[in-house]
Amino acid sequence: MSPSEVPPTTLTESDFMRLFLKHELALRAFARSILPNWNAVDDAIQEASVTMWQKFSQLENEAGFLPWAKVILRFKCLNAVTGLRRDGRLLSDEVLKQIADESEAIEAERVTEIRSALQDCLTQFTRPHQELLMAPYQGDGQITKIANSCGKTVNAFYKLLGRLRAKLATCVQQRLQMETS
């Protein structure tokens, strides 16, 4: 079979989910560079993910996912900005497009470095502390469930979570500084 006869690789729904989750942090950072608050980012990510899902068959290979996703997200963000203008004063479209262009220039490597440092730092925590750090991202009520199972107050767990997050942030910053030194 010649190279021209090789059928193109078909990406599956599970490929979409894996790629979306892998690049979600970079997409959120990109959206935040355009949008004024995290609520607007959440809305834009949600709308963009639906569009990405619908158009996923157009993607030719996995390597092109992030640039392709950023284009879709960029349009959703700019549409959101139009809606937000009605509520208050925002930057001009030209300035927002320039910010988006500069944000895109941030290498995916940096996101990978941050993710790697985060994973390394998480391993330094005990299993229960790792679970507590991840609880807010696993759905509503997780911290309450953990607190109830341990017989402690939810407030106590939120205070502990704040301390753990501060230690995790310090660790990640130190690792990133070591990599750039």
Side-chain angles (χ1 to χ4, degrees), residues 117-132:
L118 179 60
Q119 289 173 342
D120 288 346
C121 288
L122 275 172
T123 62
Q124 295 179 7
F125 290 88
T126 65
R127 185 74 182 148
H129 284 173
Q130 288 176 13
E131 289 173 10
L132 182 59

Side-chain angles (χ1 to χ4, degrees), residues 157-176:
F157 272 91
Y158 274 109
K159 287 180 180 179
L160 176 58
L161 178 60
R163 291 191 302 270
L164 293 173
R165 283 180 170 172
K167 287 181 183 179
L168 182 61
T170 300
C171 177
V172 169
Q173 289 171 353
Q174 289 172 346
R175 289 202 183 259
L176 292 174

Side-chain angles (χ1 to χ4, degrees), residues 56-167:
F56 189 61
S57 63
Q58 297 174 359
L59 187 64
E60 294 180 12
N61 60 49
E62 290 186 14
F65 181 84
L66 186 58
W68 171 81
K70 280 185 175 181
V71 168
I72 292 170
L73 182 57
R74 180 181 193 161
F75 283 111
K76 296 299 181 185
C77 289
L78 293 176
N79 285 339
V81 165
T82 302
L84 291 170
R85 278 216 173 88
R86 288 181 232 127
D87 298 337
R89 195 170 165 166
L90 293 178
L91 300 173
S92 71
D93 286 341
E94 184 177 314
V95 171
L96 289 172
K97 286 179 184 177
Q98 183 176 359
I99 291 170
D101 288 341
E102 290 175 11
S103 178
E104 275 188 71
I106 296 173
E107 297 179 26
E109 285 179 35
R110 185 67 177 158
V111 173
T112 303
E113 289 171 2
I114 293 169
R115 182 174 284 138
S116 176
L118 179 60
Q119 289 173 342
D120 288 346
C121 288
L122 275 172
T123 62
Q124 295 179 7
F125 290 88
T126 65
R127 185 74 182 148
H129 284 173
Q130 288 176 13
E131 289 173 10
L132 182 59
L133 282 163
M134 299 308 293
Y137 309 103
Q138 296 174 344
D140 292 338
Q142 283 300 111
I143 293 180
T144 303
K145 289 177 187 175
I146 294 171
N148 290 339
S149 70
C150 294
K152 297 197 177 188
T153 67
V154 174
N155 191 36
F157 272 91
Y158 274 109
K159 287 180 180 179
L160 176 58
L161 178 60
R163 291 191 302 270
L164 293 173
R165 283 180 170 172
K167 287 181 183 179

